[in-house]
Amino acid sequence: MNASPPTDSLTADRGVTVDPIVLEIVQGSLAAVEQEVETAIARTSRSPMIRDAHDFRAGIHDRLLRKLTGRSYSALVHPIARDFPLAEMRPGDVYFHNDVYRSEGGIGHLPDLCVTVPVFVQGETGAADDVQVVAFVQAFGHHDDIGGAVPGSMPSSATSVFEEGLMVPPIKLWDAGVPNRAALTIMTRNSRMPDSLAADLDAECSACLMGSRRLSELFERYGRGTVEACFDQIVDRTTETYRREILTKIPVGSWTWEDYAEHDGVEPPKLHTQRITLTRTGAEDPGGERLILDFNGTAPQAKGPINHCGDYADGNFLKKWLAPVLRNLADSPERMAELDVNEGVVPLIEMRFPPPGTLLTPVFPAPTNARTFVILRLLGVLAGVLAKAVDGRMPADQETIRYTGVYGEDTDGRPYLMREVLGGGSGGRYYADGEDTIHVVPDSRNLPTEFTESRFPFLVERLGLAVDSGGPGEFRGGLGYDKHIRMLKDGHFMSIADRSILACWGVNGGKAGQPFSVVIDAGGPNERVVDALADAEPVRAGEVIRIRTTGGGGWGDPLRRAAEAVLRDVRWGKVSAAAARADYGVVLTGAGDELAVDAAATIELRARLAAARPVDPPFFDRGPGYATLSGGAESSEYDHLSR
């Protein structure tokens, strides 16, 4: 059953008469409360994934379930409102869920635990029990372990959600300020890391309760009518901004593009298709000006855990997940950074899903723990199909999240789990290179070396940039991580990663970046390449795990990149001298401080490289890995602008 808000407006005039100064104050207050909630969680949680890697999000929603804040994505309140009448909620209530199939699409896998706290105002009678729900504060984070077949609750070979951990549908975790100890005991009993799970949940519940009090104070200060009028305007202003500044950059028409996940952990690697047909409607369309995203052509649901439940609540979560891609069409990078993504983007996007049984419409109990392979790829598919529509003025591809880690027993014989979300390079843009080692989750980061070495039995011997990992281009793709971990005690390595065969694509003449790779004991007697999906790869004491994350795709012809920019990249250690010659046609002489560009040789080499190219290359470059899975084809039928 899908939940929908009863109406789309809190006030009769949609808040058009609200004082603009008060509106700015209220909007700033919401952002401040959201940030205060996240700061409280970061300071009081216990697990490295929450406290140090910052893999959690907070959000503020109104009583119509609309997301009001825009600095970060968040889960949905829809499942709570579906199962618990707002009229029966009381101050001190905290609601909890992590059930993917009962989350209305807001939760992607079981380790993401979500708490929701209603916000109240006093009713007209003034009686102590006369309170009404006016908003919600919510937080969800990726927790260390919630049970399942492997430590970390992300078994790469799962064929059912029942293997992935404990499923909890929406429940009342705190009742009028009293924690449900029985429910908490069940959850911690099912976790391999019960103490950190209990501490993290307590941090999230307490932080959201604090956020609820802050919002109640906001209503008391300005009055319910004024604040709700501001809520309407916050949403409507976003709608109008995106219609005026973004939609107008996309011509009326229709385009199709697709990209792929490469493996699902169960079957041999193959192309798991995710396809978007983008239609930009005109003002004369009966539904008005909007973007229609049609996912028909997406592959059947996978046997392994790469499925994502995207079709619930009319794709409400997915719309807000994908909408940040649209900001790349803003007039400038500065303007791009100013655009929030809140509920205001939802009316501008219509989603059309294929029937049940695809990667985006999986049927219970299909596994979902590696659904990042799908939702991250969809960001790139939308960017790609938009690139076809706007003559390439979109960034090249990126793959900026994967889970890696080690586990075992420490030197005192106690079990440990170290897991982190490592980023990668972002794609080159039509005006600038991509960024190095970014994380798609806002404010998230790798684990500090000093912390991990003091807590876990290994040494981090290198944490730097992966040379040559960024896709060549007039504007180069950003670089990925190069991380070396030397084990001090026998343990196991785990990885949930994609883009180990397929690379981040380049666009408009730009080339693909380098894929993800893990090598253990490189150059040693037991050297071995580890699959990107691994649950328990044994690693002996003394062996080094070398992790190289993906580089972003390049934008534009690399032979057009300024030779001095290539020289700078070589001096900075981002591009090797060999790659400068092979990829950019730049011939260097000398070494060290005497390194310089041989201008005449560069002109001659670039002319030869250009002459050897095919006459009609595809608009997208997928790298050599695509041919491995496509049966030898170097590009898709959709990779040319005319198709």
Side-chain angles (χ1 to χ4, degrees), residues 528-580:
R528 56 203 183 273
V529 176
V530 179
D531 192 83
L533 280 173
D535 289 336
E537 176 68 26
V539 190
R540 294 187 178 277
E543 291 185 326
V544 174
I545 306 166
R546 189 192 73 193
I547 305 167
R548 285 173 62 96
T549 68
T550 52
W555 193 99
D557 185 349
L559 300 185
R560 293 176 58 87
R561 185 170 178 83
E564 291 301 319
V566 177
L567 173 62
R568 178 202 62 195
D569 286 343
V570 174
R571 285 175 170 166
W572 287 357
K574 293 189 173 186
V575 173
S576 66

Side-chain angles (χ1 to χ4, degrees), residues 215-230:
L215 288 180
S216 292
E217 294 166 1
L218 183 67
F219 276 89
E220 291 173 5
R221 186 177 309 126
Y222 293 105
R224 177 174 178 174
T226 297
V227 174
E228 291 195 332
C230 291

